[in-house]
Amino acid sequence: MGDVQFSTVPLGFESAVLMISGEIDIVSAPPLRENLRVRVQEYRTLVVDFSGVDFFGSAGLGLFDTLEQAERDKGLEFEVVYGRSVARMLRAAALDAQWPSCASIYDAVREVETRGHRSLAPAV
């Protein structure tokens, strides 16, 4: 229980992908939520990739609250990508319509770029 890994892949100065894998449960959710709080302060645009999550317990729902709060408070632009375990929990909590998922990281980045009318690719 509580075995979760996360890494941040910067896409540019203000944008990144947060890749999460493993199990999100009552043990792993609090440190992951704190990491997410740091990332939403550090970046203006964030793609959160839950596609590698094998187990997503109800404690993980707070991660979505953190994203929504940052969207309201600081104008964070974000998209999420998730797999079966996250989709199952969101359906069970009747939150799947509130938190739609992009099919892939590529689609999520494209969606954020379209909404923000700018490229997230790093300048070379």
Side-chain angles (χ1 to χ4, degrees), residues 17 70 76:
V17 174
L76 176 75

Side-chain angles (χ1 to χ4, degrees), residues 1-7 19-32 50 52-57 59 63 85:
M1 300 268 297
D3 184 27
V4 66
Q5 298 83 37
F6 47 88
S7 61
M19 298 170 60
I20 304 168
S21 61
E23 299 178 356
I24 299 176
D25 57 23
I26 197 162
V27 173
S28 63
L32 183 55
F50 291 104
V53 173
D54 302 318
F55 174 81
F56 191 84
L63 299 170
S85 64

Side-chain angles (χ1 to χ4, degrees), residues 29-92:
L32 183 55
R33 191 169 184 177
E34 185 55 36
N35 183 280
L36 185 57
R37 280 190 188 114
V38 170
R39 297 299 161 251
V40 300
Q41 293 305 315
E42 191 174 354
Y43 296 102
R44 185 170 167 260
T45 305
L46 196 61
V47 171
V48 184
D49 178 16
F50 291 104
S51 64
V53 173
D54 302 318
F55 174 81
F56 191 84
S58 60
L61 293 174
L63 299 170
F64 290 94
D65 293 336
T66 300
L67 290 168
E68 190 172 63
Q69 185 71 38
E71 181 181 44
R72 280 193 307 270
D73 292 350
K74 69 169 280 244
L76 176 75
E77 292 184 42
F78 70 92
E79 285 293 331
V80 294
V81 178
Y82 52 75
R84 288 179 46 170
S85 64
V86 177
R88 191 174 321 133
M89 176 54 70
L90 291 176
R91 264 193 314 277

Side-chain angles (χ1 to χ4, degrees), residues 90-107:
L90 291 176
R91 264 193 314 277
L95 296 171
D96 51 334
Q98 181 179 343
W99 297 104
S101 173
C102 291
S104 67
I105 292 174
Y106 174 78
D107 290 341

